[in-house]
Amino acid sequence: MAATDAVRSDLVTPELRRQYRDEGYFVLERALTDEQLDLLRGGAQYSIDRLDAEMDRLGTDRIGINHRGKRYFSNMIYQHRPELQQFLFSDTAAQICRATLGEDAYLFWEQYVIKAGDPETAFAWHQDSGYVHEDHEPYVTVWIALDDVTLDNGPVYLLPYSRSGIKSYVKHITDPATNDRVCYFGSDPGVPMTAPAGSIVVFSSVVMHRSGPNLTDRHRRVYIAQYSKEIITAKDDAATPQGAVDRFLEGGKVVAEF
């Protein structure tokens, strides 16, 4: 077994499975090995540099929901840094997928989410499914803290199913100032997911969530992997994938080649 796979075989307990079913999320505190954490941290600066270079090329300081020097959502980095597949298709990820999706899973999306110290780095209430479309089965988000996440540096806040009353896709509205897609305007602040580095927050793509601003002087780095039961295709075009198409699990067994 590789060092990056030296994890507990009972990572997701029956209690956590039930919590995912009933509330849409669970937390695995300090779940990553030191090797896994170092591996994922290794691509963080590259993800920033890649987006800055693209902004330079386009002569802008904003691309979509990315804002130079403030917040970065840099995706599909594993296609440029293939060593990241050691985690994406690891036993850690397999246990999470089996517990949330079942015996079959595809990698759907991957990205770094990095917030610089800036009061304008908050992110609005949304569902991850709100950045896709309504015609897909809910998928799972694996949100990994690469640094200690505190109330001061921009934690993710979740609205569990019992508090939102929602377990399905809802319509989102685009904020013209930030390009954020927004789906909730209520007063519930959500549950802050503060956790030490190496912890994993696992939640359904239909769980409403937001994140606060980073009010510190250091980056808050997060790595996100998302997995689906089947290939998610573009709206009204079944022939075009919406994201990645890497098959991960088949019949509960890891079939990804890397």
Side-chain angles (χ1 to χ4, degrees):
M1 179 179 288
T4 50
D5 278 343
V7 297
R8 298 197 328 260
S9 60
D10 60 345
L11 195 61
V12 185
T13 65
E15 291 76 17
L16 292 177
R17 288 173 179 254
R18 284 193 290 272
Q19 182 177 325
Y20 187 84
R21 179 195 66 203
D22 296 340
E23 295 288 10
Y25 81 99
F26 59 81
V27 179
L28 301 171
E29 189 164 304
R30 301 185 190 275
L32 267 61
T33 65
D34 291 342
E35 292 85 356
Q36 287 175 324
L37 187 55
D38 288 344
L39 172 72
L40 298 183
R41 283 172 169 170
Q45 188 59 49
Y46 174 83
S47 73
I48 293 175
D49 294 342
R50 184 165 172 260
L51 267 173
D52 278 345
E54 182 64 7
M55 290 183 196
D56 290 343
R57 186 183 72 83
L58 296 175
T60 184
D61 288 324
R62 188 175 79 174
I63 298 175
I65 58 176
N66 297 282
H67 298 247
R68 187 196 297 270
K70 295 183 179 181
R71 65 183 200 188
Y72 295 86
F73 300 79
S74 193
N75 58 67
M76 301 309 189
I77 299 301
Y78 81 104
Q79 295 176 352
H80 307 272
R81 301 288 293 263
E83 67 271 17
L84 295 173
Q85 295 177 74
Q86 294 176 51
F87 175 81
L88 291 171
F89 304 125
S90 65
D91 183 62
T92 303
Q95 288 190 58
I96 292 170
C97 286
R98 292 188 195 105
T100 57
L101 299 175
E103 299 294 285
D104 299 288
Y106 290 83
L107 176 65
F108 167 60
W109 200 254
E110 173 260 21
Q111 67 181 10
Y112 282 88
V113 180
I114 299 175
K115 292 185 176 186
D118 190 288
E120 296 182 4
T121 55
F123 197 50
W125 281 112
H126 66 284
Q127 300 168 312
D128 286 340
S129 284
Y131 282 85
V132 185
H133 52 73
E134 68 273 22
D135 298 323
H136 67 273
E137 287 289 319
Y139 52 92
V140 64
T141 293
V142 179
W143 189 100
I144 303 167
L146 302 184
D147 304 296
D148 292 344
V149 178
T150 69
L151 290 175
D152 292 330
N153 69 359
V156 64
Y157 292 77
L158 304 184
L159 267 186
Y161 292 153
S162 62
R163 287 167 64 162
S164 71
I166 298 294
K167 291 186 176 182
S168 60
Y169 175 96
V170 298
K171 184 177 177 60
H172 288 59
I173 298 171
T174 300
D175 183 333
T178 62
N179 285 331
D180 293 0
R181 296 182 185 177
V182 190
C183 71
Y184 178 70
F185 299 90
S187 59
D188 192 325
V191 181
M193 297 290 111
T194 55
S199 299
I200 304 175
V201 183
V202 178
F203 55 94
S204 169
S205 66
V206 293
V207 166
M208 295 179 179
H209 58 287
R210 67 179 179 93
S211 63
N214 181 359
L215 302 177
T216 72
D217 58 0
R218 301 182 64 182
H219 284 177
R220 189 228 66 182
R221 300 171 297 175
V222 166
Y223 185 72
I224 290 176
Q226 296 173 324
Y227 301 89
S228 57
K229 295 180 182 179
E230 57 191 2
I231 294 174
I232 297 177
T233 57
K235 184 176 177 62
D236 301 325
D237 184 1
T240 302
Q242 178 83 12
V245 296
D246 303 79
R247 187 152 203 172
F248 179 24
L249 299 179
E250 184 176 355
K253 296 182 179 180
V254 175
V255 295
E257 298 181 359
F258 58 96

